[in-house]
Amino acid sequence: MSNYNWCHGPSCHKSHTQDRIRGVKGSKVLRTKKIKHSDWNSQDRYNMFNYFCSQNCLMNYISKHLQSITAIAPRTEALETPIDVVKEQKTDYFDRPYTSTRIITVDNNGG
Ligand SMILES: [Zn+2]
């Protein structure tokens, strides 16, 4: 297995930055960035920055392939999380009363 990936951003090779310039005078190109595996992205295949050099390249990829990505795990109905809404009377630093609202997740599975 190689120790790098090419950035998957569809327009990565079109960004005008010095670190993308390759080739000799007269035949220079802008090249897709190489992402080397390092301590911070390690070999973790779930780390998106193993595949994208920047958030911009990630968002360009998502925009281009959104229909295919959402088809992998389609959301056909809304999800719900059971909660309790608890209102509590509290006092602030200056002893002024205020109402605090807390949302508490309810575990209906018996825990
Ligand atoms: Zn990129």
Side-chain angles (χ1 to χ4, degrees):
M1 185 178 149
S2 65
N3 64 348
Y4 66 88
N5 291 324
W6 294 107
C7 175
H8 284 54
S11 304
C12 191
H13 64 290
K14 293 179 181 173
S15 291
H16 292 193
T17 63
Q18 296 285 327
D19 59 350
R20 287 178 170 88
I21 298 173
R22 295 291 183 274
V24 295
K25 192 172 184 178
S27 61
K28 290 190 180 293
V29 296
L30 291 169
R31 183 180 289 168
T32 298
K33 286 187 83 168
K34 182 187 280 188
I35 302 160
K36 293 178 180 161
H37 296 150
S38 64
D39 285 344
W40 77 269
N41 67 11
S42 70
Q43 299 287 329
D44 180 3
R45 64 191 176 112
Y46 297 110
N47 185 334
M48 67 189 98
F49 292 108
N50 266 332
Y51 304 96
F52 301 96
C53 72
S54 66
Q55 199 149 4
N56 191 40
C57 279
L58 169 63
M59 296 311 290
N60 288 342
Y61 182 88
I62 291 172
S63 294
K64 183 176 180 182
H65 300 289
L66 186 60
Q67 294 303 314
S68 300
I69 293 168
T70 54
I72 294 168
R75 169 88 56 235
T76 56
E77 59 188 28
L79 303 180
E80 294 180 343
T81 303
I83 59 165
D84 272 340
V85 178
V86 179
K87 294 199 180 283
E88 297 172 324
Q89 296 300 316
K90 294 184 174 180
T91 54
D92 67 12
Y93 180 79
F94 300 103
D95 241 11
R96 295 177 297 206
Y98 71 96
T99 303
S100 169
T101 303
R102 282 196 310 141
I103 296 173
I104 301 168
T105 303
V106 176
D107 181 9
N108 283 341
N109 295 328

Short mmCIF file of all heavy atoms in Angstrom, two decimals, residues 14-60:
data_model
loop_
_atom_site.label_atom_id
_atom_site.label_comp_id
_atom_site.label_asym_id
_atom_site.label_seq_id
_atom_site.Cartn_x
_atom_site.Cartn_y
_atom_site.Cartn_z
N LYS A 14 -6.56 22.76 -10.51
CA LYS A 14 -6.82 24.04 -11.16
C LYS A 14 -6.55 25.23 -10.25
O LYS A 14 -6.64 26.38 -10.67
CB LYS A 14 -8.26 24.09 -11.67
CG LYS A 14 -8.51 23.10 -12.80
CD LYS A 14 -9.96 23.13 -13.27
CE LYS A 14 -10.17 22.10 -14.38
NZ LYS A 14 -11.57 21.99 -14.76
N SER A 15 -6.25 24.94 -8.96
CA SER A 15 -5.96 26.02 -8.02
C SER A 15 -4.57 26.60 -8.30
O SER A 15 -3.60 25.85 -8.45
CB SER A 15 -6.01 25.49 -6.58
OG SER A 15 -7.32 25.16 -6.23
N HIS A 16 -4.49 27.92 -8.35
CA HIS A 16 -3.23 28.58 -8.66
C HIS A 16 -2.39 28.78 -7.41
O HIS A 16 -2.42 29.84 -6.81
CB HIS A 16 -3.50 29.93 -9.34
CG HIS A 16 -4.09 29.80 -10.71
ND1 HIS A 16 -4.17 30.85 -11.59
CD2 HIS A 16 -4.62 28.73 -11.35
CE1 HIS A 16 -4.74 30.43 -12.72
NE2 HIS A 16 -5.02 29.15 -12.59
N THR A 17 -1.70 27.73 -7.00
CA THR A 17 -0.80 27.84 -5.86
C THR A 17 0.58 27.33 -6.26
O THR A 17 0.71 26.47 -7.14
CB THR A 17 -1.30 27.02 -4.65
OG1 THR A 17 -1.34 25.64 -5.00
CG2 THR A 17 -2.68 27.48 -4.20
N GLN A 18 1.60 27.87 -5.62
CA GLN A 18 2.99 27.52 -5.95
C GLN A 18 3.27 26.03 -5.76
O GLN A 18 4.03 25.44 -6.52
CB GLN A 18 3.94 28.34 -5.05
CG GLN A 18 3.89 29.85 -5.28
CD GLN A 18 4.60 30.25 -6.57
OE1 GLN A 18 5.58 29.63 -6.96
NE2 GLN A 18 4.11 31.31 -7.20
N ASP A 19 2.66 25.44 -4.71
CA ASP A 19 3.00 24.04 -4.40
C ASP A 19 2.36 23.04 -5.36
O ASP A 19 2.59 21.84 -5.23
CB ASP A 19 2.65 23.72 -2.94
CG ASP A 19 1.18 23.92 -2.62
OD1 ASP A 19 0.44 24.49 -3.45
OD2 ASP A 19 0.76 23.51 -1.52
N ARG A 20 1.58 23.50 -6.31
CA ARG A 20 1.01 22.59 -7.31
C ARG A 20 1.78 22.62 -8.63
O ARG A 20 1.53 21.81 -9.51
CB ARG A 20 -0.46 22.95 -7.57
CG ARG A 20 -1.41 22.57 -6.43
CD ARG A 20 -2.83 23.00 -6.74
NE ARG A 20 -3.79 22.46 -5.81
CZ ARG A 20 -4.13 23.03 -4.66
NH1 ARG A 20 -3.57 24.16 -4.30
NH2 ARG A 20 -5.02 22.48 -3.86
N ILE A 21 2.70 23.56 -8.76
CA ILE A 21 3.44 23.71 -10.02
C ILE A 21 4.47 22.59 -10.15
O ILE A 21 5.26 22.34 -9.25
CB ILE A 21 4.15 25.08 -10.09
CG1 ILE A 21 3.12 26.20 -10.05
CG2 ILE A 21 5.01 25.17 -11.35
CD1 ILE A 21 3.73 27.60 -9.93
N ARG A 22 4.42 21.89 -11.28
CA ARG A 22 5.39 20.84 -11.59
C ARG A 22 5.87 21.05 -13.02
O ARG A 22 5.23 21.72 -13.81
CB ARG A 22 4.76 19.44 -11.46
CG ARG A 22 4.34 19.07 -10.05
CD ARG A 22 5.54 18.87 -9.14
NE ARG A 22 5.17 18.44 -7.80
CZ ARG A 22 4.83 19.26 -6.81
NH1 ARG A 22 4.78 20.56 -7.01
NH2 ARG A 22 4.52 18.78 -5.63
N GLY A 23 6.99 20.39 -13.35
CA GLY A 23 7.52 20.43 -14.71
C GLY A 23 8.58 21.50 -14.91
O GLY A 23 8.89 22.27 -14.01
N VAL A 24 9.16 21.49 -16.10
CA VAL A 24 10.23 22.41 -16.43
C VAL A 24 9.67 23.56 -17.27
O VAL A 24 8.57 23.47 -17.82
CB VAL A 24 11.37 21.70 -17.21
CG1 VAL A 24 12.05 20.67 -16.33
CG2 VAL A 24 10.83 21.05 -18.48
N LYS A 25 10.44 24.62 -17.37
CA LYS A 25 10.02 25.81 -18.11
C LYS A 25 9.58 25.42 -19.53
O LYS A 25 10.25 24.68 -20.22
CB LYS A 25 11.18 26.81 -18.18
CG LYS A 25 10.76 28.16 -18.68
CD LYS A 25 11.91 29.17 -18.54
CE LYS A 25 11.41 30.55 -18.96
NZ LYS A 25 12.47 31.56 -18.80
N GLY A 26 8.40 25.90 -19.91
CA GLY A 26 7.87 25.59 -21.25
C GLY A 26 6.84 24.47 -21.21
O GLY A 26 6.03 24.35 -22.11
N SER A 27 6.93 23.62 -20.18
CA SER A 27 5.93 22.54 -20.07
C SER A 27 5.51 22.35 -18.61
O SER A 27 5.54 21.25 -18.08
CB SER A 27 6.45 21.23 -20.65
OG SER A 27 7.59 20.80 -19.93
N LYS A 28 5.20 23.47 -17.97
CA LYS A 28 4.77 23.42 -16.57
C LYS A 28 3.29 23.08 -16.47
O LYS A 28 2.51 23.37 -17.38
CB LYS A 28 5.04 24.76 -15.89
CG LYS A 28 6.52 25.03 -15.67
CD LYS A 28 6.72 26.24 -14.80
CE LYS A 28 8.19 26.53 -14.55
NZ LYS A 28 8.84 25.51 -13.76
N VAL A 29 2.92 22.44 -15.36
CA VAL A 29 1.52 22.08 -15.11
C VAL A 29 1.18 22.38 -13.65
O VAL A 29 2.07 22.53 -12.81
CB VAL A 29 1.27 20.57 -15.36
CG1 VAL A 29 1.48 20.21 -16.82
CG2 VAL A 29 2.11 19.70 -14.45
N LEU A 30 -0.12 22.49 -13.39
CA LEU A 30 -0.63 22.49 -12.02
C LEU A 30 -1.09 21.08 -11.75
O LEU A 30 -1.90 20.53 -12.50
CB LEU A 30 -1.81 23.47 -11.87
CG LEU A 30 -1.46 24.95 -11.97
CD1 LEU A 30 -2.73 25.79 -12.09
CD2 LEU A 30 -0.64 25.38 -10.78
N ARG A 31 -0.56 20.44 -10.72
CA ARG A 31 -0.86 19.03 -10.45
C ARG A 31 -1.68 18.89 -9.18
O ARG A 31 -1.50 19.62 -8.22
CB ARG A 31 0.45 18.24 -10.30
CG ARG A 31 0.23 16.75 -10.09
CD ARG A 31 1.52 15.99 -9.94
NE ARG A 31 2.24 15.93 -11.21
CZ ARG A 31 3.49 15.54 -11.35
NH1 ARG A 31 4.18 15.15 -10.29
NH2 ARG A 31 4.07 15.53 -12.52
N THR A 32 -2.57 17.91 -9.19
CA THR A 32 -3.32 17.52 -7.99
C THR A 32 -2.35 17.31 -6.83
O THR A 32 -1.28 16.73 -7.02
CB THR A 32 -4.08 16.20 -8.26
OG1 THR A 32 -5.01 16.41 -9.30
CG2 THR A 32 -4.81 15.72 -7.02
N LYS A 33 -2.74 17.76 -5.64
CA LYS A 33 -1.85 17.64 -4.48
C LYS A 33 -1.78 16.20 -3.98
O LYS A 33 -2.77 15.49 -3.98
CB LYS A 33 -2.31 18.56 -3.35
CG LYS A 33 -2.00 20.02 -3.65
CD LYS A 33 -2.29 20.92 -2.48
CE LYS A 33 -1.13 20.91 -1.52
NZ LYS A 33 -1.25 22.00 -0.51
N LYS A 34 -0.58 15.83 -3.57
CA LYS A 34 -0.34 14.50 -2.99
C LYS A 34 -0.50 14.63 -1.48
O LYS A 34 0.03 15.56 -0.87
CB LYS A 34 1.08 14.05 -3.34
CG LYS A 34 1.43 12.67 -2.83
CD LYS A 34 2.91 12.36 -3.07
CE LYS A 34 3.14 11.94 -4.51
NZ LYS A 34 4.54 11.46 -4.73
N ILE A 35 -1.25 13.72 -0.89
CA ILE A 35 -1.46 13.75 0.56
C ILE A 35 -0.69 12.60 1.19
O ILE A 35 -1.07 11.44 1.05
CB ILE A 35 -2.96 13.66 0.91
CG1 ILE A 35 -3.71 14.80 0.24
CG2 ILE A 35 -3.17 13.66 2.41
CD1 ILE A 35 -5.17 14.57 0.09
N LYS A 36 0.40 12.95 1.83
CA LYS A 36 1.20 11.92 2.48
C LYS A 36 0.59 11.57 3.82
O LYS A 36 0.05 12.43 4.51
CB LYS A 36 2.64 12.42 2.67
CG LYS A 36 3.35 12.61 1.36
CD LYS A 36 4.75 13.15 1.55
CE LYS A 36 5.40 13.31 0.18
NZ LYS A 36 6.55 14.21 0.20
N HIS A 37 0.68 10.31 4.19
CA HIS A 37 0.19 9.90 5.51
C HIS A 37 1.19 10.38 6.56
O HIS A 37 2.38 10.22 6.40
CB HIS A 37 0.04 8.39 5.57
CG HIS A 37 -1.00 7.88 4.61
ND1 HIS A 37 -0.94 6.65 4.04
CD2 HIS A 37 -2.12 8.46 4.13
CE1 HIS A 37 -1.99 6.47 3.24
NE2 HIS A 37 -2.71 7.56 3.28
N SER A 38 0.63 11.00 7.59
CA SER A 38 1.49 11.51 8.65
C SER A 38 0.91 11.08 9.99
O SER A 38 -0.08 10.36 10.05
CB SER A 38 1.56 13.03 8.57
OG SER A 38 0.28 13.58 8.80
N ASP A 39 1.52 11.54 11.06
CA ASP A 39 1.03 11.16 12.40
C ASP A 39 -0.40 11.62 12.62
O ASP A 39 -1.20 10.93 13.22
CB ASP A 39 1.93 11.76 13.48
CG ASP A 39 3.22 10.99 13.56
OD1 ASP A 39 3.29 9.86 13.02
OD2 ASP A 39 4.17 11.52 14.16
N TRP A 40 -0.72 12.82 12.11
CA TRP A 40 -2.07 13.35 12.43
C TRP A 40 -3.15 12.72 11.58
O TRP A 40 -4.28 12.58 12.03
CB TRP A 40 -2.10 14.87 12.37
CG TRP A 40 -2.14 15.45 11.00
CD1 TRP A 40 -1.10 15.80 10.23
CD2 TRP A 40 -3.32 15.73 10.24
NE1 TRP A 40 -1.53 16.26 9.02
CE2 TRP A 40 -2.90 16.25 9.00
CE3 TRP A 40 -4.69 15.59 10.49
CZ2 TRP A 40 -3.79 16.63 8.01
CZ3 TRP A 40 -5.58 15.97 9.50
CH2 TRP A 40 -5.12 16.49 8.27
N ASN A 41 -2.88 12.33 10.34
CA ASN A 41 -3.94 11.65 9.58
C ASN A 41 -3.73 10.13 9.59
O ASN A 41 -4.62 9.38 9.25
CB ASN A 41 -4.08 12.19 8.17
CG ASN A 41 -2.90 11.91 7.27
OD1 ASN A 41 -2.03 11.13 7.61
ND2 ASN A 41 -2.85 12.56 6.13
N SER A 42 -2.54 9.71 9.99
CA SER A 42 -2.13 8.30 10.13
C SER A 42 -2.65 7.45 8.98
O SER A 42 -2.76 7.91 7.84
CB SER A 42 -2.57 7.75 11.47
OG SER A 42 -3.98 7.63 11.50
N GLN A 43 -2.97 6.24 9.23
CA GLN A 43 -3.52 5.35 8.21
C GLN A 43 -5.03 5.23 8.39
O GLN A 43 -5.65 4.34 7.84
CB GLN A 43 -2.87 3.95 8.31
CG GLN A 43 -1.37 3.97 8.09
CD GLN A 43 -1.00 4.20 6.64
OE1 GLN A 43 -1.76 3.80 5.76
NE2 GLN A 43 0.11 4.84 6.39
N ASP A 44 -5.60 6.13 9.20
CA ASP A 44 -7.03 6.08 9.51
C ASP A 44 -7.84 6.34 8.25
O ASP A 44 -7.91 7.46 7.76
CB ASP A 44 -7.35 7.12 10.59
CG ASP A 44 -8.82 7.13 10.96
OD1 ASP A 44 -9.58 6.29 10.42
OD2 ASP A 44 -9.20 7.96 11.79
N ARG A 45 -8.47 5.29 7.73
CA ARG A 45 -9.21 5.44 6.47
C ARG A 45 -10.48 6.25 6.64
O ARG A 45 -11.13 6.61 5.68
CB ARG A 45 -9.50 4.09 5.85
CG ARG A 45 -10.42 3.22 6.67
CD ARG A 45 -10.43 1.80 6.10
NE ARG A 45 -11.22 0.94 6.94
CZ ARG A 45 -12.37 0.40 6.59
NH1 ARG A 45 -12.85 0.63 5.40
NH2 ARG A 45 -13.04 -0.36 7.39
N TYR A 46 -10.88 6.54 7.88
CA TYR A 46 -12.07 7.34 8.10
C TYR A 46 -11.73 8.83 8.21
O TYR A 46 -12.62 9.65 8.31
CB TYR A 46 -12.81 6.87 9.36
CG TYR A 46 -13.30 5.46 9.22
CD1 TYR A 46 -12.74 4.44 9.94
CD2 TYR A 46 -14.33 5.17 8.31
CE1 TYR A 46 -13.18 3.13 9.78
CE2 TYR A 46 -14.77 3.87 8.15
CZ TYR A 46 -14.20 2.86 8.89
OH TYR A 46 -14.64 1.57 8.71
N ASN A 47 -10.45 9.15 8.24
CA ASN A 47 -10.05 10.56 8.30
C ASN A 47 -10.15 11.14 6.89
O ASN A 47 -9.38 10.80 6.00
CB ASN A 47 -8.63 10.67 8.84
CG ASN A 47 -8.22 12.11 9.05
OD1 ASN A 47 -8.72 13.02 8.39
ND2 ASN A 47 -7.30 12.32 9.96
N MET A 48 -11.10 12.06 6.70
CA MET A 48 -11.35 12.61 5.37
C MET A 48 -10.13 13.32 4.81
O MET A 48 -9.98 13.43 3.60
CB MET A 48 -12.57 13.51 5.37
CG MET A 48 -12.42 14.77 6.17
SD MET A 48 -13.98 15.62 6.33
CE MET A 48 -14.49 15.06 7.94
N PHE A 49 -9.25 13.81 5.68
CA PHE A 49 -8.10 14.53 5.18
C PHE A 49 -6.97 13.60 4.75
O PHE A 49 -5.86 14.04 4.47
CB PHE A 49 -7.66 15.61 6.17
CG PHE A 49 -8.69 16.71 6.25
CD1 PHE A 49 -9.50 16.84 7.36
CD2 PHE A 49 -8.89 17.56 5.18
CE1 PHE A 49 -10.48 17.82 7.41
CE2 PHE A 49 -9.87 18.54 5.21
CZ PHE A 49 -10.67 18.67 6.33
N ASN A 50 -7.26 12.30 4.69
CA ASN A 50 -6.41 11.37 3.97
C ASN A 50 -6.70 11.43 2.48
O ASN A 50 -5.91 10.96 1.67
CB ASN A 50 -6.68 9.94 4.43
CG ASN A 50 -5.74 9.50 5.51
OD1 ASN A 50 -4.62 9.99 5.59
ND2 ASN A 50 -6.19 8.60 6.34
N TYR A 51 -7.86 12.00 2.13
CA TYR A 51 -8.31 11.98 0.73
C TYR A 51 -8.47 13.37 0.13
O TYR A 51 -8.66 13.50 -1.07
CB TYR A 51 -9.65 11.23 0.63
CG TYR A 51 -9.56 9.84 1.20
CD1 TYR A 51 -9.95 9.58 2.51
CD2 TYR A 51 -9.03 8.81 0.44
CE1 TYR A 51 -9.84 8.30 3.04
CE2 TYR A 51 -8.92 7.53 0.96
CZ TYR A 51 -9.33 7.29 2.26
OH TYR A 51 -9.21 6.04 2.79
N PHE A 52 -8.44 14.39 0.97
CA PHE A 52 -8.63 15.75 0.49
C PHE A 52 -7.56 16.66 1.10
O PHE A 52 -7.30 16.58 2.30
CB PHE A 52 -10.02 16.27 0.86
CG PHE A 52 -11.12 15.42 0.28
CD1 PHE A 52 -11.72 14.43 1.03
CD2 PHE A 52 -11.51 15.59 -1.03
CE1 PHE A 52 -12.71 13.62 0.49
CE2 PHE A 52 -12.50 14.79 -1.58
CZ PHE A 52 -13.09 13.81 -0.83
N CYS A 53 -6.98 17.53 0.27
CA CYS A 53 -5.91 18.41 0.75
C CYS A 53 -6.48 19.58 1.54
O CYS A 53 -5.75 20.22 2.29
CB CYS A 53 -5.05 18.90 -0.40
SG CYS A 53 -5.86 20.12 -1.45
N SER A 54 -7.79 19.86 1.36
CA SER A 54 -8.38 21.02 2.04
C SER A 54 -9.88 20.83 2.15
O SER A 54 -10.47 19.97 1.48
CB SER A 54 -8.11 22.30 1.24
OG SER A 54 -8.80 22.25 0.00
N GLN A 55 -10.50 21.64 2.98
CA GLN A 55 -11.94 21.60 3.11
C GLN A 55 -12.60 22.03 1.79
O GLN A 55 -13.67 21.54 1.43
CB GLN A 55 -12.37 22.54 4.24
CG GLN A 55 -13.75 22.23 4.75
CD GLN A 55 -13.90 22.56 6.21
OE1 GLN A 55 -13.01 23.08 6.85
NE2 GLN A 55 -15.05 22.28 6.76
N ASN A 56 -11.96 22.93 1.07
CA ASN A 56 -12.49 23.38 -0.22
C ASN A 56 -12.58 22.21 -1.20
O ASN A 56 -13.61 22.02 -1.86
CB ASN A 56 -11.61 24.50 -0.78
CG ASN A 56 -12.25 25.19 -1.95
OD1 ASN A 56 -13.46 25.43 -1.96
ND2 ASN A 56 -11.44 25.50 -2.95
N CYS A 57 -11.52 21.39 -1.29
CA CYS A 57 -11.54 20.23 -2.18
C CYS A 57 -12.59 19.24 -1.72
O CYS A 57 -13.28 18.63 -2.55
CB CYS A 57 -10.16 19.58 -2.24
SG CYS A 57 -9.03 20.45 -3.36
N LEU A 58 -12.74 19.05 -0.41
CA LEU A 58 -13.77 18.15 0.12
C LEU A 58 -15.16 18.62 -0.29
O LEU A 58 -15.97 17.83 -0.78
CB LEU A 58 -13.67 18.09 1.65
CG LEU A 58 -14.81 17.41 2.39
CD1 LEU A 58 -14.91 15.94 2.01
CD2 LEU A 58 -14.63 17.56 3.89
N MET A 59 -15.44 19.92 -0.12
CA MET A 59 -16.76 20.45 -0.45
C MET A 59 -17.02 20.39 -1.96
O MET A 59 -18.14 20.13 -2.39
CB MET A 59 -16.93 21.88 0.08
CG MET A 59 -16.89 21.96 1.59
SD MET A 59 -17.96 20.79 2.44
CE MET A 59 -19.56 21.43 2.04
N ASN A 60 -15.99 20.63 -2.78
CA ASN A 60 -16.15 20.51 -4.23
C ASN A 60 -16.51 19.08 -4.62
O ASN A 60 -17.36 18.85 -5.50
CB ASN A 60 -14.87 20.93 -4.95
CG ASN A 60 -14.64 22.41 -4.90
OD1 ASN A 60 -15.55 23.18 -4.63
ND2 ASN A 60 -13.40 22.83 -5.13
#
